[in-house]
Amino acid sequence: MFESQLIIAATDGNGKIIASQPYYEFLNGRKNLEILNYYTGEKLFDILYDDLDIVGYENNKLAIKIVYQMNPVQTTMSLLGKIAEAVIVRRCHEDEEINRKWLSIARRKKAKYKTVAKFKAVGTGLKSTRNLYPNLYNPFDTQRDVIWVDDEGMRAMIKTSSISGLEAGLQLKVSRNGMGYFFQDLCNLRYEVPVVYFDIAHDYDVVARELLLEQYSRGISNSNIILEENFVRASAIDYRGYEEVCFYEDLVMALVTGKMTIDDLLVHKDVENNPTFKNSLITAMLSQLPIENIIV
């Protein structure tokens, strides 16, 4: 007799299971790529193509246009940081309450709803920012991944009793090892805006505890306040956004290591019957070809 178990599965159009995995394993271990791709592959493609503009053509195939880092894990986490930027901006545009929460953290002051209505989130490294606010576009900004601007492009500012005159913003970090990745930068007060941590391995508490101990050792009496203002757990503010970024990890790793291709992300997208999408791909392809290869 087999023991009963809860599973998560993806089915085709006829209801046939094409991939399945124990539910606990899916939530806590490496996720089945077919299930992940069926669930969120198309959304990941949209982020890579529309928001980050890092999908292009190589040898007549879709590919990611990035410079790979020393190892696949570093490359994956770097990409996830950019993806997190796109996710936070989109979530702020979709949900006024989410926008209020993140803007309040960025300004270190609870934002009133009239202020929230005035400002919208902008990613400093996103394609939309490059098109709409070229003066704000800076994909190499080491301080602010997300900022807020009004209709005239004026930036929201930090307003507290102790800080003023600084542009409000968020610096995003995605990692499985916060202690090894950015802990020393936190200790050295490298960032002038709050750091938002997408702790994929749930190690926020470890980093926060060590940061408090470090601050106590320096004789900082209001360490708890400083921690809350400067080091933020992403899942505590917007769990859905945090979960979305975490779900992308295995897919991005598969793309980086060559286990999947960009085309695989579109396996469930009806490209042929979506002329707008198809035409945009063709235009992108032609724009990257040498002029002598374009036949009019």
Side-chain angles (χ1 to χ4, degrees), residues 44 48 64 68 251-258 260-262 265:
L44 176 58
L48 297 176
I64 300 179
Y68 283 66
L251 285 180
V252 172
M253 176 66 80
L255 291 171
V256 168
T257 57
M260 290 181 63
T261 68
I262 291 293
L265 299 179

Side-chain angles (χ1 to χ4, degrees), residues 126-197:
L126 299 185
K127 178 181 177 181
S128 57
T129 305
R130 186 182 66 201
N131 294 337
L132 296 174
Y133 308 101
N135 61 311
L136 303 180
Y137 179 68
N138 183 5
F140 306 108
D141 194 328
T142 59
Q143 286 293 332
R144 292 167 180 79
D145 292 313
V146 180
I147 59 176
W148 276 260
V149 299
D150 62 17
D151 290 339
E152 297 180 357
M154 298 296 293
R155 309 183 195 191
M157 307 296 287
I158 293 177
K159 292 186 178 181
T160 68
S161 57
S162 58
I163 302 175
S164 62
L166 283 178
E167 297 166 1
L170 302 174
Q171 175 68 18
L172 311 182
K173 299 295 181 183
V174 182
S175 179
R176 284 184 165 272
N177 179 21
M179 290 298 297
Y181 178 31
F182 58 86
F183 177 71
Q184 287 303 319
D185 287 335
L186 290 176
C187 292
N188 295 332
L189 304 178
R190 177 185 177 189
Y191 306 107
E192 60 190 25
V193 299
V195 172
V196 178
Y197 186 27

